[in-house]
Structure formats: structure tokens, C-alpha cells
Amino acid sequence: MTPLLEVSRLRVEFATRRGPLVAVDDISFTIAPGEVLGVVGESGAGKSLTGAAIIGLLEPPGRIAGGEIRLAGRRIDNLPPEEMRRIRGREIGAIFQDPLTSLNPLYTVGRQLVETIRVHSSLGGREAREHALQLLKEVGIPAAEQRIDQYPHQFSGGMRQRVVIALALAANPRLIIADEPTTALDVSIQAQIIALLKRLCREHGTSVMLVTHDMGVIAETADRVAVMYAGRIVEIGPVWEVVHAPQHPYTVGLMGSIPILGETRERLVQIEGAMPRLTAIPPGCPFNPRCPHVFDRCRSERPELVPAGASRAACWLHLGAERPVHA
Amino acid sequence: MIAFVIRRLVQSVFVMLAVAFVAFALFNYVGDPINNIVGQDTSLEDRERLRQELGLNDPFPVQFARFVGNAVRGEFGMSYQHARPVSHVILERLPATLELSFVAAALALLIGVPMGIYTGLHRHSALSQVFLTVSLIGVSLPTFLIGILLILIFAVLLGWLPSFGRGTTIAFGWWTTGLLTKEGIRALILPAVTLCLFQMTLIMRLVRAEMLEVLRTDYIKFARARGLPDRIVNFGHALKNTLVPVITITGLQLGSVIAFAVVTETVFSWPGVGLMFIQAVTAVDIPVMAAYLVLVAFFFVVINLVVDLLYYIVDPRLRIERAGAAHVG
Ligand SMILES: Nc1ncnc2c1ncn2[C@@H]1O[C@H](COP(=O)(O)OP(=O)(O)O)[C@@H](O)[C@H]1O
Ligand SMILES: [Mg+2]
């Protein structure tokens, strides 16, 4: 199947006085129609920047310094701003880190829905409102007829997140980028929201790039997983394999504490040491200072993604020899 | 909402009472009011009789109550200087000040807000840098200096505009306006520009700072991610969110525009209440001074009230009472 989203050799840099900082370094991945790609990795790994690059909302001084992004075969990383604007919302929707602050406090949720719908369609005011109402019902807002004329502060966190999902889906995009959509919510509500997102995207055939810290959510929701470290993808593969047979030593460390599904949802367990700062990424494999299996080559040469088990991993352990690295 | 308005009204009444008290104290204890009214040769008995007639021997609270009662009806006694009721003198002068203040405030808003939006949206453009540099001058030069400079350039050197007075005015009942004649408008330009310059730069810097702040928020990012055009994001979503602080400051500034018109009116010999106040101070015309104090306080209070009501209109978080905020998980 031709991929819906195709990111190849994407590089995101920040121009600084001391030269460019490379925050996303040469990453490639695809998302198929209807597929959910989970993206995990420590804070600062470059997950959000990758998402922002895809929807064309990198904030200066950040910029795409190399590579290509294609949506359904069409190159979108170098479009004029106005054309990229038409793609946002209509082709690619986004849900950001903090749903609580994603809604404009001065407008009713209905108004925000209607304006989004009308920007992307030729519906009149009345039809757009009908559609908005229907969306609110679809995301499970009770008494939607009354709620539509209320302001964001009159909704609880979970309800606001449902509204955000309705907004992201308003123009029925083909891809949703959900950047830690539940991090800011109560644990008890997180599962509901993820379930809602999963159901709606399945019904609409929407692909999802789901960024999260929560391995439990990944295991339940994603079809494939990409593991990011210091701006690179260190492992990518089918969810079951990555979770149960991790191939990269970093992923092995991450999976050290897979939560029992539905029960404790722990944050990623800390691996000894910390991810390097962008200014101090070591040569070779960026994980080498923390890696229990490190050898000479890791310190001098950068590994590319190579087949490893059912996944692909960027690790010299997997070059040629099919040596498993279960810890 | 109603409760809020009532609370604010009660507060306003207390503020006005406090100001009235100061004005009253001024009236009674700066010099002897009798001395100010009668001549040197009035006998002691006559003075005492006048004192009794004017109620100056009444207990303090009674006198204050009478002062407030009169003030409410706009009665502040006779001006020593003009030998006419203070209320007449003020009514005659008020249109000049209000016209000048409102034109200056309108100019400050109409120019300051767009400049603030522009410099907020185009932070690095050359024009923004020019605006910001010029605004620094506007903020740092004292008003009287700006006035004198403008007179020097446009009245003395170029001879384009008059440097004093109101030009020709047209009367509508007690109200006089200079806005309907060419001379009136020409006379208004320099004082209005002088008075508005500081406010304009202040408003511009405020709008800019607020715009920068709001443009960083998540809901603006999300609005862009929904594919809304820049026009809607910048002017619909961002600008509206900058309004609350802008309304506050602008409102308070309008109050100070009226109060500080004193300086501008003096520089341009503008026949308003500010100039009247300065003349009253020189002549120790206590009733006029007291009335001016109360009048300016009254403007401040009214403007504050309007500002608070505007908040309610702009921000739904204030408008909707807590009980309505149902929190359903
Ligand atoms: N404006 C900026 N200037 C310099 N570095 C930045 C800037 N914004 C983000 N970064 C860096 O980019 C890296 C990736 O950030 P991000 O994509 O937000 O990480 P994640 O979402 O995985 O937690 C981080 O190391 C962060 O410090
Ligand atoms: Mg992030």
C-alpha cells in the first residue's frame, strides 16, 4: 500500500550564533492509511518538533534543513504558506500537548467549531452549526445542544479534550498528529480519551501519529512504534515486536517496566544517565555513553536503521550478526 | 452581573465621598472663607452674622453633608475670581477640555492600536524598529516640551497652525464645539497631538507586548493547526485576547488625559477647565479648585466603571457566574 505520510531524511535545525543545532537528525518513516504510529522517547528527543515540521508549524529559528515530507505522494515540506495552511486542518489535524489551553477562552466552543468547519468547506452558517453539533455528539459531549453555546472554561479537562478532538476532526483530515494528548489529564480520564481517539480514527479511517510517554497507551493503540533518541529514530517496528522483543539497547531499557495493561501506567523508567543535550551529542551512536553493550565502533561511526528481528534498529549489534540483545 | 454593578457603584460612591471630603477640607480650612467673601472693612458682628447665615458655625458633619448635597446638585458656591457661580464657569469651560481629551484619546487609540498590532506581528521589520524608536521619544519627552517643540515648528517656523486658543466655535445650547469650523479644527491639531503622543506610544507598546504574549499561547498554535487563515488568527483570536489589558490601561489613560490636560491647556492657552484650574490656583479661588477636584474624580470614577463593564462584555469567564460552570468529567 502506498504510504499516506512519507518522511524521508528529515532534518530540523535551530540557527544559533554558534552554528546550527540539529534537533531532528535525518529521520525517515512512513504512516500507512488508517495506521496508528506510536512515537516514544524521552523528553527532548525531538518528537514534538517532528510533528510541528509535518504540519508546517515550526517556529523560527527552527527550520527544516533537509529531507522531504510527502502526503499521499505530494511533497508538502516546501509549499507556500497559504497552500500549507489549506492542508492544516483539512488534510492533517493536530492535537497538542496541553488540551486545557488549546481552546480560545473568549469564544464559545460552537463558534470555534463553526469557524473551522467553514474555513474548510462551503457550508453555510446553519449547516456548519448542524455539523458542529453532530461532532460534539460524536465525541461524547452530553447535552451537546446546550454545551455548544458554552465557553471552554465551563468544560472540565476531559470534556475540553473531547472538544479539541472534535475540532481536530472537524474537516475530516486523513492524518492526525496527537502530541501527548492525555499528559495533562487526570489518569482516570486518559484511557477514555485514548479510546475515543482510537475509535473515531478507526471509523473515519484516519491515520494517527501518536506521541506519548505512556507505553501502555502505545501497546493498546499503536500498530507500529518509532522510538526516538536525541533527534534520531533508533528503532521502528510493529508494536508487539518492539514491546516484547526490543532490538535496540535503548528500547530494551525503555521496556524495562512495561505496565500491566489497564493497571499502573508508569512513566518511562529512567535508564542510567541522561539523554545528551543538543550541543553535546557524542560522535557515533548518540546512545553510546549509556549503552551496556557499547564497543569501539559505536563511539566513532553512526549506525543506520537496519533490519533487526521483525523491526529495524540503528545499532551496530545488528549489523550482519543476528545477535539478540535481550537484557 | 447586577450584584457586581451594585458593588462597583457603592465603591464609586465611597471614592467620591473621600474626594469630596478633601475638597471640603480645602474649602473650609485653607484660609478663612469669610475673609475671602467680604472686604477688609466689614465689622466683626457682620462677619459673625454672615458666618451664622452661611452655616459655618454648624457642626462639622452638618457642614460636610451640606457640601455634598450641594455638590451633587452641581453647586460649588461663587467663584471669588469671576464673581459668578462656579458651576457656570465650569460648564462654560468643560466642552473645550472634553473635546480636546476625547480627540486626543481617539487619536491615541486609532494610531496606537494598529501600530501595536503591526509591531507585534512583524517583530523584525524595519518599520517596527522605526515605530519603537520613535515611541521611545514619545514616552521619554515631557508633554510641555513636546508642546513647545510643536509650537516652534508648526506655528512659529512654518506658520501652518495657530499656537493658542480654540479658533472659532459654534454653540449648541451650553455646549460649544470647535470641530465644525476650519479654524476650530486647525486650532485643535497641535494641542491634541501633544496630549495624545504619550498615550499613543504607551498604547502601542502595550498592544505589542500583549500581542507577543498571546501569539505564544497554545490556543493560537491550535488555531493555526486547524488551518484558520492568518487574518482570523491574528485579528479574531489574538487581538481579542489582548483587549482586556488594553481596555484597562486605555480607560485609566483617558482619565489621566482629562486630568493632565492641565499642562497642554496651559502651553496652548486652551480655554478648558485645566487652564481654569491653574488660574484658580494662582488666584486662590478655592471654590473653583474644590469643584475641579470633584469633577476630575468624577470622571475617573465613571471611566473606571465603564472599564469594568467592558471587561464583562469581553471576557466570558467573568460574565458567567460560578454556578453555571458545571464540571462534568
Ligand atoms: N527554540 C528552540 N531553540 C533551541 N532548541 C530548541 C528549541 N525548541 C526546542 N528545542 C530543542 O529541540 C529538542 C527537541 O524538542 P521536542 O521536539 O519538543 O522534544 P520532545 O517533544 O520529544 O520532548 C529539545 O532538545 C529542545 O531543547
Ligand atoms: Mg514534546
Side-chain angles (χ1 to χ4, degrees), chain A residues 3-193:
Chain A
L4 173 67
L5 180 76
E6 194 174 0
V7 174
S8 37
R9 315 208 71 110
L10 175 69
R11 190 180 164 91
V12 175
E13 289 182 356
F14 288 95
T16 69
R17 251 169 284 144
R18 276 188 245 113
L21 274 184
V22 184
V24 172
D25 192 355
D26 209 8
I27 69 172
S28 304
F29 62 90
T30 60
I31 302 181
E35 185 183 41
V36 178
L37 176 75
V39 178
V40 293
E42 278 166 73
S43 196
K47 307 181 298 291
S48 298
L49 288 178
T50 306
I54 294 170
I55 52 171
L57 284 181
L58 275 178
E59 275 163 36
R63 63 181 196 96
I64 297 180
E68 285 184 8
I69 300 168
R70 287 176 183 274
L71 186 75
R74 176 189 182 201
R75 192 158 170 197
I76 59 166
D77 56 290
N78 55 2
L79 290 179
E82 179 56 21
E83 276 185 55
M84 193 60 214
R85 203 241 336 133
R86 287 175 204 278
I87 286 180
R88 282 196 292 272
R90 190 181 315 189
E91 306 274 339
I92 310 178
I95 301 172
F96 287 123
Q97 227 146 2
D98 191 354
L100 299 184
T101 54
S102 288
L103 300 171
N104 186 336
L106 301 188
Y107 292 134
T108 62
V109 300
R111 179 176 165 166
Q112 300 185 50
L113 274 162
V114 166
E115 78 183 348
T116 311
I117 293 164
R118 297 195 66 179
V119 159
H120 294 297
S121 70
S122 54
L123 293 186
R126 180 185 292 253
E127 298 154 305
R129 194 182 151 90
E130 258 332 290
H131 187 198
L133 201 57
Q134 190 194 324
L135 280 164
L136 286 179
K137 288 178 185 159
E138 209 176 333
V139 297
I141 305 275
E145 281 85 357
Q146 284 92 59
R147 292 299 219 146
I148 190 168
D149 291 317
Q150 293 188 344
Y151 291 89
H153 74 275
Q154 295 170 284
F155 289 74
S156 68
M159 284 296 149
R160 255 186 268 186
Q161 181 61 318
R162 287 170 191 266
V163 173
V164 168
I165 292 175
L167 278 163
L169 288 172
N172 207 4
R174 291 194 269 181
L175 170 70
I176 295 257
I177 296 176
D179 191 347
E180 303 191 31
T182 57
T183 308
L185 295 176
D186 258 24
V187 181
S188 56
I189 296 161
Q190 291 182 357
Q192 294 173 22
I193 295 296

